[in-house]
Amino acid sequence: MTEPVRIGDHAFANLRYIRDAMERATAFTSIPGVGGIIIGVSAIVTAVVAQPLRGDRWLAAWLIDAMFAAVVAFILMSRKASRAGVTLRSPAARRFFVSYFAPIAAAALMTIAVVRAGDHALLPALWLLSYGASFIASGAFSIRVVPLMGICFMMLGIASLFIPFGNILLAAGFGGLHIVFGFIIARNYGG
Amino acid sequence: MAARAQRNATPGDESRVIEKRTIPDFDRKIHERTRLAIMSALAVNEKLTFVELRDIVQTTDGNISVHARKLEDAGYLTMKKFFVGRIPRTEYQVTPAGRRAFEKYIAHMEALVKTNKK
């Protein structure tokens, strides 16, 4: 009775091999954990600096932080990708970036509209919700922890719709979540 | 042929021999590891360049060339060579026949796993 077991095991191993190859062909795994930690620390510093500021000065502090974060993310992502011998132009990476940037582009445009309307208090919710949405969408093409991070960001975004501590919730999200998930990714997914 | 393979088989080869004996309509063109990975990668991507395919399959240039050629000969994928500026590029795409063969192969494997469970 050992024969069918062997064939079945072999078939199962083959199916798993196919699944692994498909996953490699669709997943973009160069998410920089260390970059997340650096971005998180910088967001907490920004939150402290921005806490007493109001209006456009408060906005400027966070926009400078966002630009810094984008540069850090890009550099460390490129380094992680080249270490793994993959490019940022692979089909997997392209799918990831399209679904990542679509919600962020929408948020950038809505930021202009909200600032024009003079309602800066809405910005933390807009940013946290959009950033979360961007990770939930792009996480479909990446490691499993990415969409989970997106859900956490969206929950903070929902909270900031109802409680008037936007700056602190931004610190919790862009600071705290980046550090926690950055640490998880760095430890479990190679840097 | 099968009988001789069986006689010469070492214990490690046993499962392979059993397979040959009991599953005569097995698609050998896809079954080989590198070719299976190539078909899997192309099943979830409309097109892949030579370099992308090599990185996904995690093998050498020579290995990809040889096995992609075999799949091309079987009519399971098409290869297109062209230039981007001065850089030559090779692009692979699965054919409808290749997709059918791949799906059949998976169904075959699933059936074997199911039979095993019973």
Side-chain angles (χ1 to χ4, degrees), chain A residues 7 10 14 17 24-25 95, chain B residues 18-19 31 33 45 56 105:
Chain A
I7 293 171
H10 192 66
N14 265 345
Y17 181 76
R24 273 203 307 282
R95 269 191 290 255
Chain B
I18 288 163
E19 228 167 63
H31 187 56
R33 288 251 132 171
N45 286 287
I56 292 167
Y105 182 88

Side-chain angles (χ1 to χ4, degrees), chain B residues 46-79:
Chain B
E46 197 196 337
K47 290 172 187 166
L48 286 173
T49 66
F50 182 89
V51 176
E52 288 163 352
L53 201 52
R54 182 199 62 196
D55 291 346
I56 292 167
V57 178
Q58 297 171 335
T59 185
T60 59
D61 286 14
N63 217 9
I64 289 286
S65 299
V66 168
H67 289 295
R69 167 63 65 86
K70 279 188 182 159
L71 288 168
E72 201 190 348
D73 291 345
Y76 289 174
L77 56 83
T78 54
M79 184 190 69

Side-chain angles (χ1 to χ4, degrees), chain A residues 42-44 46-48 50-51 57-67 127 166-168 170-171 174-175:
Chain A
S42 111
I44 287 174
T46 302
V48 171
Q51 185 64 27
R57 287 167 70 90
W58 174 88
L59 175 66
W62 280 105
L63 288 183
I64 290 168
D65 181 64
M67 280 186 267
W127 293 341
N167 197 60
I168 292 166
L170 285 177
F174 291 104

